[in-house]
Every structure is written in structure tokens, then in C-alpha cells.
Amino acid sequence: MRSLRLRSSLALVVGVAVIALTGGRSLRAQAAAAGDSMSFYKALDLEAAGKYKEAAPLFRAALHTAAGVNALLGLERAYAELGQSDSLLAPLDTLIASNPGEETYRTVQLRTLQSLGRDADLRRAFDAWVRSAPQSSAPYRQYAQLLLQKNQAVAADSIVRLGEKALGTAKDMQLELAQARAAQGEWVESAKAWRDALKTADYLVQAAAYALAPTPSASRQQVREIFMAMPIDVSSRRALSELEMSWGSPGDGWNALKALPPDSLAADAWSEFAKRAESEDRWTLARQALESALRWKRTPELSLRAATAAVNAGDPGAALRLAPLSDAHGDSALIARSYLPLHARALAALGRPGEAERLLAAYDRFLTPGAHNTLVRTIAWGWVRTGDMTRARAALAATGAAGDSSDAAGWLALYEGNMKTARGLLRGGTESTPELALALGLIARFKADSAPAIGKAFLTLARGDSTLAAAQFVDAGNAIPAVRSLLLSTAARLYAATGNSARAVALWTRILDQDRDTPEAPQAELEWARFLRKQGDVTAATTHLEHLILTYPSSALVPQARRELELVKSAIPPSP
Amino acid sequence: MTALIRKLSLSRRGFIAVVLAAALAHPLVAQRLLVPMDDGQQNHLKAYGLTYNAIKAGASAEWLLNYRGGSFLLADTPEIRRQAGLAGITIEPVDNGKLGSIRAEIASSNMEAVPLEKAPKIAVYRPPDELPWDDAVTLALNYAGIEYTSIYDDEVERGDLSKYDWLHLHHEDFTGQLNKFYLSYRDVPWFIDLLQKNTATAKRLGFSNMPALKKDVADKIRDFVQRGGFLFAMCGATETLELALAAKNVDIAQSFIDGTPMDPDADRKMDWSRTLAFRDAHLEQSPFVNSMSDIDGHQVNVPGRRQPLGTFTLFNFSAKFDPVNSMLVQDHRAVINDFFGVTTSFNKAVLKPGVSVLASEEGAPWVKYIHGDYGKGTWTYYGGHDPEDPQHSIGNPPTDLSLFKNSPGYRLILNNVLFPAAKKKPLKT
């Protein structure tokens, strides 16, 4: 298709050149040429307006002019819209007789005969083209493509083979060969052909990935080996990377690219891969790809993307290294706009909010009030992480009403045990995190206005000390019977996550004994059963799951419990 | 798998004890439990397991053909209620008054109540090793909680088939050509392993090659049916079992398997008097075309011949006069999406006279689901590989039936598992 378009464009250029050369010879001829062009362009306008019936005679009138090739393509489109494709055959015969070597005429003839279902005539037209151009691969390629469009992959394959025999090589027909093999489910052969085709046609990367995407798992390793084979070919590696992404193996997608020799092509491939990884929140892979691209050529845009990926991947320290302020070459406005938010976030995450505050003070005059307040809230989070609630509160207060009504203010209120304020602010929050879900669940159940013990446990959790937080949730649960089961359940989950299974089991037992009528009871039983299944204790897991299903039949957790039970009994295959 | 079966056996014993104890000692709330099988059922597939295990435990059971999608009527015991609750199966207690009205409705309509007496002993013919494709029947049996035993060539050759009532054929190629996977997978480890193991088994059991072994196994399976066994096959096992039976005295295997090409006159030498379902089919002569014969209407692995998938429609039989065929088509849907397999469908032109067509595609030259008698037994063939994975390919993950618990296509498989439990009544036609 691309070669056809190139050819058409070339024909148009040649046509214009011919008109220009004849310009000085005869005014009459010049007027006629202008008239021809006018017909052609008028036909294009009519076609664009959907007036195919009016456009067709004008395209036809322009067939024997310098714009003949483009007029033929226009006529083909118009007749197709009118359902009169058979009317194209007579003028095509005339055009081919006058210029047998013009590939576009031949291609349109094949296409038309195929659309009319005249297979015998199609074959004859192909044979005639081969006789007319015995050294050209074009007839084989075009005919094979048409057969592929009709799902006749075996026939297409045989045409390519015929071409190979006649021309002594299939190097110009690798695309058709690859498509034919893929359509026949010959994935390995197809991959070989795609690799050959990609050597000279890097624009086929997407086509190769699309064609090979249905490769069954059993053949994928062989396909990988073909694309990974030495010598390294950038297009093949890019195609494999796309394939791996479509197969749900993004890590292998990066493996296909990471060994590329660094050059501009590789850097483009890395950046493209990172873009896809960023869009899928695969931040570690995005960071690796962007760091590779940075090693080839350092640009501020790539540095910032890499740093953002590092922060999102949980490595704020690397973010500071990847996008240092020096990259901005002293452009204060640029620092304030692009670097400061990233650095403030990284410093807050690292527990260095003081440095973030100093940065903010240095570039504050370049910030809008909205941007300033956003950064202040980020820094307030940093103070929370260091446990300095006073400074966190002070930072938020400095942002005025916006700060007082922010998510961060809601969390601060919760940490301070001010449930009344936390209830108001967190319910309208914009976050979506497991911590917020837990906090909202607690707030919904807990009616008192103050609970310092709960705030303390949440604060400890925010500071990353899960074991201490679990103990504090237990203490809070002992002190506040109204939400005891929820607090104990939270503590049990934290203990289980930190590997302290004995304490988790003790708490699940306690919930089932003391709080069997609360929503946490089936939840505790489900988590306990999952824990037992992972430990390999099938009998005990089954007992708990059956107890849950039969004791709490209306619980929203019953479908999950049934699924667990089926996994325990091997009634369904395990998740991949 | 052995551990699983042992575990299931233990729970069955417990199940039997509880059901019997309950039947003797506990006053029951309702007389019976109705397991509806129409759209009101939450888990159609597990309902078959509930019924199968209730019969196995000695509880009374009836299959109410065409009543609310082919419902089951079970004894009302605490254990059955418990099992239904655990599996999420919809049950409805039925007192004597309601039961009377149900029976009256059945008596006056195209419906029938068939007592289910004895849970059939089930064997699945499958290789002992894991293969890179799954099997819809074993998936359904596992999901429904129906116990089965896996057997293969060694067990068949030593006569173990007589221990079972019902036999399912996994995706075996009984022509001994490993489904012509040689064409695409000859260098893949699982194929090499499969070829080596099957060849070694053939030698160990005294056969010259794999096709010879599989032909003998096919004969023994036919004998199993003739003596009164129930045979159920899907996908390529249907077509190749028949080809192996008809090719008793002719070489139809390609040289990549047995070192010699197919007999060029094989088509003429096929003895179709030995088969169960098909006659006068034509063999695929080319070793390079992934097809066995023209029995299959869809030819999924031959690009030039491949036919698109449509839908197939279940026939509606007279429940009172033709209860066996009725049992096999009980479903809450009459039109079901088709699905590919090595053998997807069966060309009408090659069906023997007397074969019952249970489902077909309107206007197509093929049928999907067929059944017939042979000797004292019966056979049923269901084309295609996996009713809920229409384009299943080698290496694809197995279907998780908890996501398809109301699958009408899978119900047809489980109808086959349960229908041998029915108390035989003489056909009134």
C-alpha cells in the first residue's frame, strides 16, 4: 500500500513537471492541460461532497491526462461507492494497453476483479502482468495481498513461492510471506519472514506485532528466539517488545530492548517503550527505559520523565539524582514550574520536608497561589512522615482556608484523634487509597468526636511502622468496644502482612469469638482461610470457608469464599 | 490427583453417612427439594454435582425433563441443603401439595419425571501427563465435584474398562498420529515427550507402532460400548475413534509417525461396518494438511477450508416417548454459540442411518451433537473443544468454570454424565 501511494505521488509530480515543460510551446495546449486539471480537481471536490455520480465522468475525462493515475484511483473510489466497479474494467484495458508497465493500472485491475469476484479473470490478469514485467516482484506481491485479504493464505503462500522461483529471491516479498504464514498458524515461519521484512521496512513494526499477537503460548519462545537472535536488529526488537506487551509480559518487552546498542534509533525505541509503560503505571520499567535513553542523550524532558517514574516507583532519592535543579541552567521560572513539584514530593517522601520548604521559599515568587498551596500540602505530608505534627499543622495553616479543608488536613485531624473534623474532610476527599477506605470505614462506624488512640495508630501506620501500628490498633480496639472488631481486624491484617501469623491468628480467633455478629467476623474467617490455604492446610481452610458460607450466607464475602473453596478443592484451575 | 481423589472419597463416605442418618433420624421440613434448572438457578453446573453425589449417597432423585429447564427433585436432607448452600446452588423446598401440582403439570405436558437410581462409575481416558491443552469434560467434572478415574492405554489393554459404566475420551487421536501436531510442533518439548512416551508404550504392550496400539484401544472401547457401556467423546476423539475402527486393516497413518506413507488406496479399503456413527467418509491424503477426513464440517486447521462459527440449536424431543434423547438436550437455552475444536462438527453426509441428531446449525451441512446405540450400550459425540472458549488454542490457560457456572454448552456435557443414572424405561415408540 505504501509503495502504491509513493508511486501515485510520483506520478502526480511527474505529471506537474510535464505540464510545466509544455507551457511555453502552445497556449492552446496549456489551456487544454489546465482544463484537464480543472476536471480532476472538480471531481475531487464532488467526491468529497459525496456526489459520486457527478464525480465519475470528470475522473473518467481526466484518465488520459497527466493526472491520469490519480484520476483512475478517484474513479475506482467513485465507482465503488456507486456499486459500478465493473465499469472500470474497460477503461483499465485501454490504459494498460497504452502503458503496460504502470503498476497502479495493474494493481487497480487486480483489485477490481477481486471485488467483482471474478477469480478466473483475476488470475489471468495476474499472469498477464507477470508476462509484461517478468523481473518485477510487484505482480506477486499485489496478488498475494489480495489473496490474503480473502483469507486464502495457502494460495497467497503459493504465489509468493511462484515469485521466488521466477525471480530467484523472495526478498521483496517477505511481508506477504510473513502474513501468509501467520494466517496459516505457522508462527515460527512467519516470525522468520517478519524478521527479514523488518530489516528493510522498519515501518512494519506494528504490523508484525499485530500479525504475531495470536501466537499460542507453546510457540512464543521460538518467536522470541527469532527476534532476539544476533545480530541485533532494532526493528525486530521493537516488534518483539510490542508483542511481549500484548502477551502481558511487559518485563520481557523491556528485555527485548535493553540490550540495543545506544544510538538515536535505540533511544527512540526506549522512549516509546517508556511512554507505554507510563500509560500502564509500570513505573519501574518506565524508569529503566528512560534511564537508558538518558545515557544516550540527556534532555530535560527525558530527565523529568525518568525522575517522575522513579518517584512513582517508590525511589524518591533517585528522582533527585535524575533531574537535578542544575539541568534547568538557572532558569528560575522553569525550576518553579517543572522541577520544584517533583523535588518537593521526593523530599517529602524521603522525610526531608525542611529542604523542601527552603526550596519553596527560594522559588516562591515564580509560583501561582494555587501551585504554592499544592506544594505546601505536599510538604505538610513530609512533616507528617517525620512525626512533626505541629509543623505539618503550621504548614497547612499558612495556606489559609484551602489548606484547612484539604485531604491532608483531614488526615492530620485523624492523626490527632479529632474524629469530628476528620469525618468532615476525609469524606469529601479526592484520594483513593486502602488507607482512606479503612479510615472512612472507621469514621462511618465510630460516632464519637474524639479518639486519640485511633489517631495514634493511624499516624504510626503513616510513618511506616506496621508492627507498632498493629499493636496500637489492638490497644485502641481494647479501649473502644464500638469499633473493636474493625480495629482488631486491621491489626490482624497488618500482622499477617508483616509475617507475624501467630498474632494474626489470635486476633482472628478473638473476632470470631467476641464479635461474631459484626461484618469483620466473615472477613476475619476469609482472611484466616486464605492464610491457611497458603500454608497448605487444606482441611482447616475448608472448615473455615464452609463455616463462613453457611454462617453468613448474606455476607458480600460469600462469592469470594466460594471461589476460595473451589481453589482449595482444585475444582477450578489456579489463577495464572 | 490421587490425593484429591482420596480426599473426595473420604468426603463421600461422610456424605453418605450424614444423608442416611438424616433420612432416618431427622424430621424434614419439606418432602423434597427442587433444584430448578431454568434461569432461576444460580449455578447450573454444580447442580449436576449435587444431584450426582446425592444419588451416590443413596438419596432419592428424579430428573424432571423439560420442567423448568430440566430440574432435579431430590430428597430433603440437611446434608443436601448444606452442600447446596456451600456451592451456591438454588434449591426450593417442595411440600406434598406443591409436589402434586408439579406432577400434574408434568403429566399434562411434554415433560417426564425420570427416577435417577445409580451414580455411574466414571472413567476418563487421558494421558497421565499434563498436556498443553485442557479438556472440557474433566474441567466440568472437577468443577461440579463429580469423582472420576483417569485411565490410559495400559489400563484399557489390561481390561479395566469393565470396571466403569461411563467413559469419556480425552482429546486422543486414535489414528495414532498425535493430531498431526508434527506439522507445527515437532521441535517443541511437550510434543517430543508425547511422541516418545506413546511410542514406548506401544512397544511395551507388544505393538509395532503407535497407530497399531491406538487401533486396538479403539476396538476395546467399541467392545466396552457393545457390552453396555456409555461412551462420551468430544473434539478430535470422535472422528479419530471412528477412523481407527474403520481402518482396522489398512494403514492410514502418515510416514512421520510409522515410517510408511498412508496406503494410497486407503479410502477404498476402509471398513465402515465397524464404526459407531459414520460411514463413507474420505480420508485426508496429504501429510501436510492438518485434517483427518471430511467428517468434520469446519476444518479449523486448514485455512482454505475453515468455516466460520455460527450457533447450534438443540432439538426438542418428546420427553415421554424419547426420554434418553430428551435427557441429553436438557438446557435452559435452545440456541448455543458454536465453538471450534480439532473436530468441530459432523457432516450430515457421513452419518449412519439411525444416528440421532441432538443439535445442528440451521442451514449448515453439518451437525454438532449426535447420539446412538451400539450393542447394549450408547455413544454420544459432541463436536468442539471448549464451549466457553470458542477459539481455544494449544497453550491457552484452562477455562475457569466459576466464571461460567450457568454455561448452556457445558450443561450438555453434564447431561451425559447423569443420564446413565436414569432408570431404564422401554421406549414407547
Side-chain angles (χ1 to χ4, degrees):
Chain A
M1 184 57 77
R2 181 180 151 137
S3 64
L4 183 64
R5 277 203 300 272
L6 285 172
R7 187 91 192 179
S8 304
S9 308
L10 191 62
L12 188 61
V13 171
V14 171
V16 171
V18 170
I19 292 167
L21 282 172
T22 56
R25 292 184 188 168
S26 153
L27 281 175
R28 190 173 169 184
Q30 189 179 30
D36 294 339
S37 297
M38 288 298 288
S39 295
F40 174 65
Y41 290 117
K42 177 74 176 164
L44 282 180
D45 289 342
L46 289 167
E47 184 195 3
K51 296 179 177 176
Y52 304 110
K53 201 170 178 179
E54 292 80 359
L58 293 176
F59 276 132
R60 192 161 179 157
L63 282 179
H64 296 282
T65 68
V69 170
N70 288 299
L72 176 64
L73 295 172
L75 189 61
E76 183 190 19
R77 294 192 298 271
Y79 277 153
E81 291 290 341
L82 295 168
Q84 299 173 4
S85 293
D86 53 339
S87 301
L88 201 58
L89 293 174
L92 269 170
D93 286 342
T94 310
L95 288 168
I96 289 170
S98 65
N99 187 359
E102 174 52 57
E103 288 183 8
T104 307
Y105 297 161
R106 299 279 190 178
T107 303
V108 173
Q109 184 187 38
L110 295 191
R111 211 155 50 209
T112 305
L113 289 168
Q114 190 217 27
S115 70
L116 294 171
R118 290 165 59 171
D119 290 347
D121 290 336
L122 175 61
R123 177 70 197 213
R124 274 194 287 276
F126 160 71
D127 290 337
W129 189 1
V130 170
R131 282 195 299 277
S132 167
Q135 298 307 313
S136 171
S137 63
Y140 302 100
R141 281 191 282 109
Q142 297 297 342
Y143 189 35
Q145 283 291 352
L146 292 175
L147 290 167
L148 283 167
Q149 286 166 19
K150 289 173 69 181
N151 293 324
Q152 294 182 4
V154 176
D157 198 40
S158 69
I159 290 299
V160 174
R161 290 288 171 220
L162 198 65
E164 186 179 13
K165 194 175 170 188
L167 304 172
T169 174
K171 70 179 173 60
D172 292 338
M173 296 176 283
Q174 289 300 324
L175 170 61
E176 289 72 26
L177 193 61
Q179 288 176 313
R181 295 291 159 85
Q184 292 175 88
E186 293 175 9
W187 306 108
V188 176
E189 293 303 314
S190 177
K192 287 177 187 166
W194 275 116
R195 172 148 187 167
D196 283 342
L198 286 165
K199 278 180 197 163
T200 52
D202 58 357
Y203 57 88
L204 292 174
V205 165
Q206 291 289 338
Y210 179 78
L212 291 170
T215 304
S217 307
S219 300
R220 288 179 186 172
Q221 187 53 35
Q222 288 170 283
V223 171
R224 284 187 184 104
E225 285 166 8
I226 289 163
F227 283 115
M228 291 290 279
M230 301 303 277
I232 291 174
D233 173 64
V234 176
S235 300
S236 295
R237 294 299 183 96
R238 285 177 61 203
L240 179 58
S241 175
E242 291 277 338
L243 263 179
E244 297 286 6
M245 294 294 265
S246 71
W247 291 341
S249 317
D252 289 331
W254 172 236
N255 284 340
L257 295 176
K258 69 182 180 187
L260 292 179
D263 60 16
S264 58
L265 276 179
D268 286 347
W270 291 326
S271 180
E272 278 299 309
F273 177 85
K275 201 173 281 180
R276 183 156 176 183
E278 287 164 338
S279 71
E280 295 180 5
D281 291 344
R282 299 183 188 280
W283 296 110
T284 303
L285 290 175
R287 176 190 162 183
Q288 288 174 334
L290 288 164
E291 284 197 77
S292 294
L294 276 175
R295 280 193 284 274
W296 167 250
K297 187 176 183 183
R298 189 169 188 86
T299 69
E301 185 253 341
L302 279 179
S303 302
L304 284 166
R305 282 174 64 197
T308 304
V311 172
N312 290 339
D315 189 356
L320 300 177
R321 179 175 50 77
L322 285 165
L325 297 183
S326 56
D327 275 5
H329 302 295
D331 183 342
S332 298
L334 177 64
I335 290 172
R337 187 173 64 247
S338 301
Y339 289 80
L340 186 51
L342 185 69
H343 277 242
R345 197 174 147 210
L347 289 167
L350 288 166
R352 291 155 57 186
E355 290 176 55
E357 273 191 340
R358 284 193 289 280
L359 268 183
L360 174 61
Y363 296 97
D364 203 9
R365 65 198 176 94
F366 297 99
L367 294 171
T368 63
H372 167 87
N373 286 346
T374 302
L375 286 175
V376 169
R377 287 195 289 274
T378 303
I379 293 166
W381 263 112
W383 288 120
V384 169
R385 289 195 72 80
T386 62
D388 194 335
M389 302 300 288
T390 307
R391 296 193 73 165
R393 174 67 64 196
L396 281 180
T399 65
D404 285 342
S405 62
S406 65
D407 294 356
W411 283 106
L412 283 178
L414 179 67
Y415 297 151
E416 290 170 351
N418 184 348
M419 305 304 277
K420 185 178 178 183
T421 305
R423 193 176 290 130
L425 293 176
L426 290 180
R427 273 182 184 159
T430 53
E431 289 180 63
S432 174
T433 62
E435 291 78 14
L436 181 62
L438 173 64
L440 289 174
L442 189 84
I443 287 167
R445 298 258 294 276
F446 187 58
K447 303 300 178 195
D449 289 341
S450 174
I454 294 176
K456 191 171 143 191
F458 269 104
L459 178 59
T460 305
L461 186 62
R463 287 173 180 162
D465 189 344
S466 300
T467 305
L468 180 59
Q472 289 173 343
F473 275 117
V474 173
D475 291 343
N478 291 333
I480 311 168
V483 284
R484 179 178 62 201
S485 58
L486 179 57
L487 295 168
L488 294 184
S489 174
T490 304
R493 207 175 305 146
L494 289 171
Y495 279 133
T498 52
N500 197 337
S501 53
R503 286 193 176 177
V505 168
L507 288 175
W508 287 325
T509 307
R510 191 175 157 193
I511 291 167
L512 287 168
D513 286 345
Q514 294 182 345
D515 300 304
R516 66 178 69 91
D517 296 328
T518 64
E520 283 70 40
Q523 188 180 336
E525 193 140 39
L526 181 61
E527 286 174 7
W528 194 353
R530 281 179 173 154
F531 167 75
L532 289 165
R533 181 169 74 84
K534 283 178 191 158
Q535 299 292 307
D537 190 345
V538 170
T539 307
T542 302
T543 303
H544 279 291
L545 291 167
E546 291 188 351
H547 181 263
L548 188 168
I549 295 167
L550 296 171
T551 311
Y552 307 101
S554 55
S555 167
L557 297 175
V558 165
Q560 290 181 53
R562 285 206 178 103
R563 186 170 176 78
E564 288 289 328
L565 191 57
E566 281 158 1
L567 285 168
V568 167
K569 291 180 174 176
S570 301
I572 55 173
S575 299
Chain B
M1 180 55 78
T2 312
L4 172 67
I5 290 169
R6 206 175 298 130
K7 187 166 290 301
L8 285 169
S9 302
L10 284 173
S11 66
R12 297 288 174 271
R13 282 200 286 276
F15 187 40
I16 293 165
V18 173
V19 168
L20 289 176
L24 294 172
H26 292 283
L28 301 177
V29 177
Q31 295 296 312
R32 298 291 182 91
L33 292 175
L34 179 75
V35 185
M37 293 297 277
D38 53 11
D39 285 333
Q41 178 55 258
Q42 290 180 68
N43 194 327
H44 287 94
L45 304 189
K46 281 197 181 277
Y48 286 89
L50 181 76
T51 304
Y52 179 94
N53 287 313
I55 303 164
K56 193 169 182 184
S60 67
E62 290 176 68
W63 199 346
L64 307 184
L65 305 183
N66 292 352
Y67 179 78
R68 295 187 61 184
S71 306
F72 301 106
L73 192 65
L74 306 180
D76 185 1
T77 71
E79 181 58 13
I80 290 177
R81 283 181 181 245
R82 179 174 177 275
Q83 294 293 345
L86 286 174
I89 300 164
T90 307
I91 52 172
E92 297 174 10
V94 174
D95 60 19
N96 280 339
K98 174 69 177 167
L99 187 57
S101 69
I102 290 173
R103 294 211 185 280
E105 185 181 348
I106 288 173
S108 61
S109 313
N110 180 21
M111 298 179 186
E112 180 65 306
V114 176
L116 299 174
E117 292 193 317
K118 175 179 174 287
K121 286 190 73 176
I122 295 171
V124 175
Y125 173 83
R126 62 190 306 217
D129 299 315
E130 287 295 320
L131 293 172
W133 59 86
D134 57 81
D135 169 51
V137 175
T138 46
L139 288 175
L141 293 173
N142 285 336
Y143 182 67
I146 295 174
E147 193 178 35
Y148 63 91
T149 305
S150 296
I151 60 170
Y152 204 45
D153 294 331
D154 283 298
E155 290 81 2
V156 173
E157 285 298 319
R158 72 173 179 235
D160 281 4
L161 280 179
S162 60
K163 297 176 182 172
Y164 304 98
D165 303 307
W166 192 89
L167 174 67
H168 165 62
L169 307 180
H170 191 267
H171 301 268
E172 193 68 27
D173 175 2
F174 289 96
T175 70
Q177 300 178 92
L178 297 175
N179 285 304
K180 290 190 174 177
F181 288 147
Y182 180 86
L183 298 177
S184 307
Y185 297 98
R186 58 185 172 275
D187 300 323
V188 179
W190 65 259
F191 180 84
I192 295 167
D193 187 54
L194 198 62
L195 181 61
Q196 286 173 348
K197 283 184 174 163
N198 274 276
T199 306
T201 303
K203 298 284 183 200
R204 180 162 43 77
L205 294 173
F207 295 92
S208 55
N209 51 41
M210 203 191 324
L213 166 64
K214 297 299 176 184
K215 280 182 188 177
D216 195 67
V217 169
D219 268 6
K220 287 186 165 55
I221 290 170
R222 189 183 64 152
D223 293 345
F224 161 80
V225 179
Q226 191 159 34
R227 289 194 305 270
F230 297 88
L231 173 67
F232 178 70
M234 286 183 74
C235 203
T238 58
E239 180 179 3
T240 60
L241 179 75
E242 297 274 320
L243 295 176
L245 290 171
K248 177 75 175 173
N249 299 309
V250 55
D251 179 4
I252 62 168
Q254 301 290 355
S255 55
F256 57 75
I257 284 294
D258 62 2
T260 61
M262 178 193 280
D263 184 333
D265 203 20
D267 234 18
R268 194 183 58 77
K269 293 179 181 172
M270 296 287 273
D271 180 1
W272 295 103
S273 69
R274 307 188 77 254
T275 60
L276 310 180
F278 306 126
R279 65 173 185 181
D280 302 335
H282 296 290
L283 294 161
E284 172 54 56
Q285 303 280 345
S286 169
F288 303 110
V289 174
N290 200 339
S291 165
M292 295 295 177
S293 74
D294 62 356
I295 289 175
D296 178 25
H298 282 76
Q299 303 280 327
V300 66
N301 289 324
V302 190
R305 300 181 201 160
R306 179 176 176 146
Q307 298 297 309
L309 289 175
T311 57
F312 60 92
T313 305
L314 295 171
F315 283 22
N316 188 14
F317 295 94
S318 164
K320 290 186 175 63
F321 293 102
D322 201 352
V324 170
N325 284 337
S326 288
M327 277 185 266
L328 295 177
V329 298
Q330 291 300 293
D331 215 316
H332 55 296
R333 294 283 180 277
V335 180
I336 300 172
N337 288 330
D338 204 352
F339 51 96
F340 280 129
V342 172
T343 302
T344 303
S345 57
F346 316 112
N347 270 318
K348 289 176 186 170
V350 299
L351 294 182
K352 282 189 169 181
V355 168
S356 293
V357 175
L358 304 176
S360 65
E361 182 176 338
E362 193 178 330
W366 53 72
V367 298
K368 182 72 179 175
Y369 183 35
I370 55 178
H371 172 76
D373 298 328
Y374 187 80
K376 295 177 182 173
T378 73
W379 55 267
T380 309
Y381 293 164
Y382 186 18
H385 184 92
D386 185 332
E388 296 299 344
D389 188 359
Q391 312 259 2
H392 191 89
S393 298
I394 288 175
N396 284 2
T399 300
D400 180 349
L401 285 184
S402 66
L403 306 175
F404 303 99
K405 53 196 177 187
N406 307 108
S407 166
Y410 266 93
R411 275 197 68 182
L412 299 180
I413 294 170
L414 291 168
N415 284 340
N416 276 275
V417 178
L418 218 47
F419 105 92
K423 184 180 180 181
K424 297 293 173 295
K425 280 184 181 178
L427 275 181
K428 295 174 186 173
T429 48

